[in-house]
């Protein structure tokens, strides 16, 4: 059984051990003496990122299949405030699904989606949602016919223009993780 509000289109993945928790954490860089320190933006604030974590909220690797859980397990950790959200970890993919992560294609104040991203979402005919930042889209669907050799691919620049994509994105098929809101 999935959690309240769980997208029905993803029901087949709810009981599959391909889920992890994530939480917001600072981007770290090498500081004095090789010690890791937070990366700061122009205003002196820590730059934040999504950090994969276990059910207790401790940072962990999203590439270790031993860390994967079912969605109900992850939802329980979220509901107890131990992490910020759920993510599909591609290392748990049996080859039947993939995630397209479309970046900077949505205006969070108006909800307007760029034509190239709307076209991809509609063309896929799969589950799509707004990313946690509010500025992107995630598309989760079947991978039948996927021939991408690279597990992660960026579409950008002239190549994207020729392909009619007009923006950039990332494909999660066997590596990485994609947050699901």
């Amino acid at each position: 059984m999935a959690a309240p509000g769980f997208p029905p289109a993803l029901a087949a993945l709810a009981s599959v051990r391909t889920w992890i928790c994530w939480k917001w954490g600072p981007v770290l860089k090498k500081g004095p003496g090789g010690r890791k320190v937070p990366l700061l933006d122009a205003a002196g604030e820590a730059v934040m990122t999504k950090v994969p974590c276990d059910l207790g909220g401790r940072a962990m690797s999203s590439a270790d299949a031993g860390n994967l859980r079912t969605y109900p397990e992850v939802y329980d950790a979220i509901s107890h405030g131990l992490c910020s959200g759920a993510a599909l970890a591609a290392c748990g993919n049996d080859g039947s699904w993939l995630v397209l992560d479309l970046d900077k294609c949505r205006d969070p104040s108006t909800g307007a989606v760029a034509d190239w991203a709307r076209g991809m979402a509609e063309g896929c005919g799969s589950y799509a949602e707004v990313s946690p930042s509010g500025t992107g889209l995630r598309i989760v669907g079947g991978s039948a016919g996927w021939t991408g050799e690279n597990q992660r691919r960026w579409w950008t620049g002239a190549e994207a223009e020729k392909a009619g994509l007009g923006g950039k994105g990332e494909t999660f098929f066997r590596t990485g993780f994609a947050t699901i809101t």
Side-chain angles (χ1 to χ4, degrees):
M1 178 176 105
F6 188 78
L10 300 181
L13 293 176
S15 61
V16 177
R17 295 181 71 86
T18 192
W19 295 92
I20 61 170
C21 296
W22 66 270
K23 64 181 179 179
W24 290 108
V27 173
L28 300 176
K29 65 174 188 165
K30 278 192 178 181
R35 200 172 58 107
K36 290 184 178 182
V37 297
L39 176 66
L40 303 179
D41 63 16
E45 299 289 326
V47 176
M48 302 299 278
T49 190
K50 295 177 261 332
V51 177
C53 61
D54 65 17
L55 297 175
R58 292 173 297 277
M60 56 141 213
S61 171
S62 65
D64 182 350
N67 291 330
L68 303 180
R69 301 291 179 255
T70 64
Y71 186 82
E73 292 173 297
V74 169
Y75 179 79
D76 186 58
I78 296 166
S79 66
H80 286 93
L82 300 173
C83 58
S84 302
L88 279 167
C91 72
N93 190 352
D94 63 3
S96 66
W97 57 268
L98 61 82
V99 177
L100 298 177
D101 178 16
L102 309 181
D103 296 329
K104 297 179 178 69
C105 62
R106 181 179 179 274
D107 182 331
S109 60
T110 66
V113 175
D115 289 342
W116 67 268
R118 182 182 314 283
M120 286 184 76
E122 290 171 355
C124 287
S126 300
Y127 172 75
E129 68 176 27
V130 175
S131 64
S133 69
T135 62
L137 295 179
R138 300 272 191 289
I139 303 169
V140 181
S143 62
W146 174 250
T147 58
E149 296 271 330
N150 298 329
Q151 282 84 16
R152 302 175 90 167
R153 174 179 289 155
W154 286 94
W155 299 299
T156 187
E159 185 176 318
E161 296 275 331
K162 286 180 191 171
L165 300 175
K168 68 177 187 174
E170 194 170 6
T171 302
F172 296 96
F173 183 62
R174 294 284 191 195
T175 62
F177 69 96
T179 58
I180 302 295
T181 58

